Amino acid sequence: MEIEAGYDIAFNCDRDVPMVLMLSIHPSRHPDLLTEHKMYLSPNVSYRNYRDSFGNECTRLRAPAGLIEIRNRFIIADSGRPDDLAPDAPQIGVGQLPDGTLIYLLGSRYCDTEKLSSFAWSQFGNIPSGWQRVQAICDYVHDRLEFGYHHARCDRTAAEGHEECRGVCRDFAHLAITLCRCMNIPARYCTGYLGDIGVPKDPAPMDFSAWFEVYLGDRWYTFDARHNHPRIGRIVIARGRDAADVAISTTFGPARLVRFSVVTEERITTQELGTYNHATTNREAAFM
């Protein structure tokens, strides 16, 4: 399938403000692009891209005083398959884990493992390790937290979310990641596009989404504690230890967000449209 995605974001700056933006799709998805993936800025200020220590593509620029608008729209190919399921995927002992996964066992800014470790072992220690244990963590977080955009708070940690029993998608991800790490399962935070493809349309405005990945067997698998079922059409922007590593914008000075919109939707190709029109004509003929 083809997915059309993009954003339209604007800041108002009191003075020149250096910025780091994380709005480009992850380099692993570059081969799937069907159109140019380019950031457009108004006014037309210069910028440059670089890769951070997690392999994400970041953009550096200096926003001038006043309004700066940042836009992008692109089309990307997608398999159309839902997230992989692997119920037999085993948990790997810490001593056998690849070196690069170990950082995802440690506590981080929003994933305060030291506050939830005892609880995690008492709650999930008797559940078989591997996929079944991760799914039990997702089920618990999904049931524990109440989702609502009005619950958003930029400084909520996993332990605080657990106590408050509410949050947005990042809070669901942070709590699930933290509980996995407490159980010695490497878990990393993901942000990206996730449209209403194959599910009823959400009436709320589109936003970027957060989910997480765990290392089981010999690879990373996608989990989503908020939705808690396989989804179609995820487009990763960035991965890190938690939301602090993958902020869509980091400003080094006062900058007020004045516009924010995100688009992610399945694109009907000309061939698919022709098939749809043909099927519609046949149905109409049957009633004539």
Side-chain angles (χ1 to χ4, degrees), residues 90-103:
Q91 181 172 338
I92 305 302
V94 174
Q96 287 71 51
L97 285 169
D99 296 343
T101 67
L102 296 181
I103 191 173

Side-chain angles (χ1 to χ4, degrees), residues 208-220:
F208 292 117
S209 189
W211 59 89
F212 71 107
E213 296 173 346
V214 299
Y215 193 86
L216 296 172
D218 59 356
R219 54 163 286 194
W220 292 95

Side-chain angles (χ1 to χ4, degrees), residues 78-153:
D78 191 81
S79 69
R81 296 190 300 269
D83 303 325
D84 289 341
L85 294 175
D88 296 326
Q91 181 172 338
I92 305 302
V94 174
Q96 287 71 51
L97 285 169
D99 296 343
T101 67
L102 296 181
I103 191 173
Y104 299 110
L105 290 177
L106 307 179
S108 53
R109 178 175 176 179
Y110 295 112
C111 297
D112 39 357
T113 51
E114 70 283 357
K115 294 183 178 179
L116 289 169
S117 181
S118 295
F119 168 79
W121 280 99
S122 66
Q123 183 75 22
F124 306 107
N126 292 326
I127 295 174
S129 64
W131 187 279
Q132 188 171 339
R133 181 174 285 170
V134 178
Q135 187 57 60
I137 289 172
C138 280
D139 293 341
Y140 176 82
V141 174
H142 182 77
D143 293 339
R144 175 81 177 184
L145 301 188
E146 174 188 311
F147 179 86
Y149 289 109
H150 57 289
H151 296 322
R153 201 183 91 203

